[in-house]
Amino acid sequence: QQKVQQSPESLSVPEGGMASLNCTSSDRNFQYFWWYRQHSGEGPKALMSIFSDGDKKEGRFTAHLNKASLHVSLHIRDSQPSDSALYFCAAQNNNRIFFGDGTQLVVKP
Amino acid sequence: EAAVTQSPRNKVTVTGGNVTLSCRQTNSHNYMYWYRQDTGHGLRLIHYSYGAGNLQIGDVPDGYKATRTTQEDFFLLLELASPSQTSLYFCASSEPGAYAEQFFGPGTRLTVL
């Protein structure tokens, strides 16, 4: 069973719109959650992390964690074409990290 | 900023061939990882290491060997390559600990004909 599941598989939003990405883990031992972003032709790069219940905001990006439901989300406000990328949710425990399959985000001008 | 480099960036080989993918990090990180990325499967961990001479088995190790020669260098070896190993391979490094960010290299695209 996959430990980290993401939805949707793909998402298209207009420029200036709000993009919402979802992630659910299956293991209550996970201590830390990440969002990684991968632009075409590049390696993934960490976007932000969250380990406490509630919201964490960094600029246009807000991550939300609900430990009770093992649900993590990422919301991108005022989406820009440069936000178009593959977004991975990841859950971490000790030195093992598990990635979801990713959400492909397309922001249309 | 942390730096992870990989070579070659692209490689084509034939079934049964030997392939070595190289990774070097200049972050002084203890941990290094090899992943493969396939459409619909995200990033899957092949092998990882927490120091020179150490090797840990990941989630999809079959058909792969790896060796960590120094703190900086981590190699992935495919001794009898098969078409199922055609993939995009990423190396990453990190500090130890549950909260450590992983820093990825640019990837190697491997095609096995």
Side-chain angles (χ1 to χ4, degrees):
Chain A
Q1 180 188 6
Q2 190 164 359
K3 290 181 178 286
V4 179
Q5 295 181 314
Q6 289 187 242
S7 64
E9 290 185 11
S10 62
L11 178 63
S12 179
V13 299
E15 183 175 357
M18 172 76 81
S20 295
L21 290 67
N22 297 293
C23 174
T24 303
S25 67
S26 61
D27 189 337
R28 294 195 175 274
N29 293 318
F30 289 134
Q31 301 165 317
Y32 220 65
F33 297 86
W34 290 89
W35 285 98
Y36 281 77
R37 181 169 69 178
Q38 183 182 23
H39 285 110
S40 181
E42 300 178 3
K45 187 172 183 180
L47 190 58
M48 60 191 304
S49 62
I50 186 167
F51 63 91
S52 297
D53 273 327
D55 292 336
K56 181 179 180 181
K57 184 178 179 181
E58 293 187 1
R60 297 184 293 108
F61 299 85
T62 300
H64 177 81
L65 173 60
N66 182 326
K67 285 187 176 180
S69 61
L70 299 179
H71 183 258
V72 185
S73 59
L74 178 69
H75 305 277
I76 306 173
R77 173 180 57 82
D78 188 23
S79 297
Q80 300 299 307
S82 59
D83 295 328
S84 296
L86 183 60
Y87 289 77
F88 290 106
C89 172
Q92 193 163 0
N93 187 15
N94 299 320
N95 286 104
R96 279 302 313 268
I97 186 169
F98 295 88
F99 289 88
D101 288 345
T103 293
Q104 184 69 53
L105 173 65
V106 175
V107 180
K108 295 185 175 180
Chain B
E1 186 174 334
V4 180
T5 56
Q6 294 182 235
S7 64
R9 295 295 311 277
N10 290 281
K11 176 72 177 179
V12 179
T13 190
V14 296
T15 299
N18 289 345
V19 177
T20 298
L21 306 185
S22 303
C23 176
R24 166 163 284 197
Q25 56 102 358
T26 58
N27 313 323
S28 300
H29 287 163
N30 290 334
Y31 280 77
M32 295 185 74
Y33 310 82
W34 278 107
Y35 293 91
R36 60 178 290 173
Q37 183 178 19
D38 305 288
T39 302
H41 290 283
L43 292 162
R44 292 184 289 176
L45 182 65
I46 304 170
H47 291 297
Y48 65 106
S49 166
Y50 54 74
N54 174 264
L55 182 65
Q56 303 293 316
I57 295 173
D59 299 321
V60 289
D62 292 346
Y64 301 96
K65 294 183 179 180
T67 180
R68 180 89 176 269
T69 55
T70 65
Q71 186 178 31
E72 295 78 20
D73 298 303
F74 195 28
F75 300 93
L76 186 67
L77 296 81
L78 292 73
E79 293 186 334
L80 288 172
S82 72
S84 64
Q85 294 176 308
T86 293
S87 187
L88 183 57
Y89 291 87
F90 287 102
C91 176
S93 73
S94 75
E95 298 281 1
Y99 313 132
E101 175 184 349
Q102 294 202 358
F103 294 87
F104 284 81
T108 294
R109 183 165 295 280
L110 175 66
T111 302
V112 184
L113 301 175

